[in-house]
Amino acid sequence: EAGSGARFLIKAQVTREESLFLTTYAKMAEHTLALQDLMKARTWIRSAAEKGYVGAVVTLANAYLNGGLGFSEAERKDPVESARWIKAAAEKGHAGALIFLVDRYLGAGAQDVEALGWVRKAAEREYLPAVEALAQAYRDGGRFGLAADMGEAKKWEAKAKALKLKSKGKKR
């Protein structure tokens, strides 16, 4: 189930001062959105994103992917810009961004080493679709440039089974 790994939490390492500063930016963005001043909200959200507020990064990436925030027709649905912001959020450890990025790679049938890095990162954080993709890649060989390796395949298959049991509330 896509998004099932969103339950895990990854904390960004920021100082208290940085956290308060970034939270203030986010609150200003939310306030201007509530007032329907999309252009001002976009300015606040972009500013917060550029300063590292991960929630703003994800919001901006989503706006580039799906439109919104007062973007012009030319700016809407820019998957390249969206991917740039999503990668920035994933690099900062945002669980939702990591899952979104991995789901895009898996859905597109990505085969490259960059995709492998993101899939492995998500699998290590117990995101089931990534764990299953690694198990299959090692079982079959070829995907992500991996050679078939039954030992690795069995390791990831066992992890997938454990995660499925865990999600059903059962003990091993």
Side-chain angles (χ1 to χ4, degrees), residues 5 7 34 37 40-41 77-78 84 110 112 115 121 161:
R7 286 184 230 120
D37 187 346
K40 189 178 272 187
K77 302 200 181 205
D78 184 342
R84 182 175 79 82
D112 60 19
K121 184 179 258 190
K161 184 177 179 179

Side-chain angles (χ1 to χ4, degrees), residues 21-84:
F21 177 75
L22 296 174
T23 300
T24 300
Y25 263 85
K27 287 186 188 287
M28 289 303 295
E30 289 171 9
H31 179 70
T32 52
L33 271 175
L35 295 174
Q36 294 296 305
D37 187 346
L38 295 179
M39 294 306 286
K40 189 178 272 187
R42 184 170 93 181
T43 300
W44 280 105
I45 289 169
R46 179 179 294 283
S47 183
E50 289 169 351
K51 288 174 178 33
Y53 185 72
V54 179
V57 171
V58 172
T59 299
L60 195 57
N62 191 45
Y64 274 113
L65 187 64
N66 300 310
L69 289 181
F71 281 118
S72 69
E73 218 30 65
E75 294 170 308
R76 285 189 187 148
K77 302 200 181 205
D78 184 342
V80 173
E81 190 66 7
S82 175
R84 182 175 79 82

Side-chain angles (χ1 to χ4, degrees), residues 12-23:
Q13 294 180 344
V14 296
T15 66
R16 179 169 165 68
E17 293 79 21
E18 288 172 323
S19 178
L20 289 171
F21 177 75
L22 296 174
T23 300

Side-chain angles (χ1 to χ4, degrees), residues 145-168:
L146 294 173
D149 182 332
M150 290 312 292
E152 281 294 307
K154 288 179 181 179
K155 176 183 107 174
W156 289 107
E157 287 167 350
K159 185 165 185 115
K161 184 177 179 179
L163 287 172
K164 287 176 186 175
L165 288 173
K166 185 178 173 182
S167 73
K168 291 180 181 178

Side-chain angles (χ1 to χ4, degrees), residues 70-124:
F71 281 118
S72 69
E73 218 30 65
E75 294 170 308
R76 285 189 187 148
K77 302 200 181 205
D78 184 342
V80 173
E81 190 66 7
S82 175
R84 182 175 79 82
W85 286 105
I86 285 293
K87 283 182 183 180
E91 286 167 356
K92 291 182 180 296
H94 187 276
L98 179 60
I99 289 166
F100 181 81
L101 187 62
V102 167
D103 284 347
R104 284 180 68 186
Y105 279 127
L106 295 177
Q111 303 290 326
D112 60 19
V113 175
E114 181 181 2
L116 172 61
W118 289 110
V119 170
R120 186 177 302 281
K121 184 179 258 190
E124 289 167 353

